[in-house]
Amino acid sequence: QVKMVESGGGSVQTGGSLQLACRISGLTYASVCVTWFRQAPGKERERVAAIGTTGTTIYADSVKGRFTISADNPKVIVYLQMDNLTPEDTGMYYCAADRLTIGMNRHLELGHIPPASAFEFWGQGTQVTVSS
């Protein structure tokens, strides 16, 4: 059984930093993709950053240069370092994971973060609040 648990959320002021962690257990695929999504109240879920087993990393334009996704082993733990935060970064942050399929890898090769529908396994989320 796959279990995913996010942590590290909190409240910071504009310009502050947070590091989120997504701890994963039970993921046995040889190759995986792990992605961070976020959702603000009243808004649609937004793709933030993705990392593949091969080490490929993809970022949404809104976070490029400010967020860094990393993992020693993306089947165990994935981090999202968030710097220079703004109120627009406020929301619930979720990590999602699944096998790195041909279709999913194609997204990464094209520089795109796979959509939420591509992921079967999700965490419960961690809240990030950035005040001005």
Side-chain angles (χ1 to χ4, degrees), residues 60-106:
D61 288 343
S62 59
V63 306
K64 278 181 183 176
R66 301 187 299 121
F67 290 13
T68 303
I69 189 170
S70 64
D72 289 333
N73 182 347
K75 292 190 283 187
V76 177
I77 187 165
V78 174
Y79 299 100
L80 185 69
Q81 176 65 39
M82 306 187 296
D83 298 317
N84 195 19
L85 286 161
T86 73
E88 288 69 35
D89 296 315
T90 294
M92 186 70 79
Y93 282 68
Y94 302 90
C95 61
D98 213 322
R99 183 169 64 96
L100 186 58
T101 63
I102 293 175
M104 195 178 293
N105 194 55
R106 184 66 174 156

